[in-house]
Amino acid sequence: MIERCCRHARRFAEGFNSSGYRVLNNVVLNQVLVSFGNPEKTQKVIADANCTKTCLYLSFVLLLASAGYAATGIGGLDSLGAVAIFVFAFREGREAFEKARVKNCSCHD
């Protein structure tokens, strides 16, 4: 498993390099530090990644809840997943309205 994660990190680094971005570290384990040029562009990329991460979390919760229900037949697992999605979406919505209020519309904290 560790070797697989290290291979993925090396593949990410190769992809960033071939796309014209600069990898800032020697990829030894599973961390890749990348510069996207100027700090403003780097912050935009980080904000976009955070938005994508939110979608991934919601999808993961849905998958777990649905798989749990399918495997066990316990309807409460599906309902619990729906409640978790509601809470997460509510928090994200509240954060979005707060950022819109102060005109800081990005997914970066």
Side-chain angles (χ1 to χ4, degrees):
M1 182 170 91
I2 294 172
E3 180 55 37
R4 182 178 57 117
C5 291
C6 294
R7 275 195 316 270
H8 287 308
R10 287 190 298 270
R11 187 180 320 149
F12 275 117
E14 290 167 5
F16 285 128
N17 277 328
S18 66
S19 296
Y21 301 111
R22 196 175 77 178
V23 175
L24 303 175
N25 66 322
N26 289 330
V27 181
V28 178
L29 289 174
N30 62 355
Q31 294 183 344
V32 181
L33 300 175
V34 181
S35 172
F36 294 97
N38 62 41
E40 183 179 301
K41 184 173 183 181
T42 300
Q43 290 304 315
K44 287 180 182 180
V45 171
I46 291 170
D48 186 48
N50 285 334
C51 289
T52 303
K53 186 171 52 176
T54 298
C55 294
L56 180 67
Y57 287 158
L58 290 171
S59 298
F60 186 69
V61 169
L62 178 63
L63 176 68
L64 283 180
S66 298
Y69 172 70
T72 65
I74 300 172
L77 293 177
D78 206 25
S79 299
L80 191 62
V83 169
I85 289 171
F86 168 79
V87 169
F88 192 75
F90 179 80
R91 288 181 180 170
E92 289 296 312
R94 186 175 55 196
E95 181 182 329
F97 280 115
E98 178 62 27
K99 286 180 179 181
R101 186 179 66 75
V102 296
K103 295 186 180 13
N104 180 17
C105 297
S106 72
C107 292
H108 186 270
D109 293 325

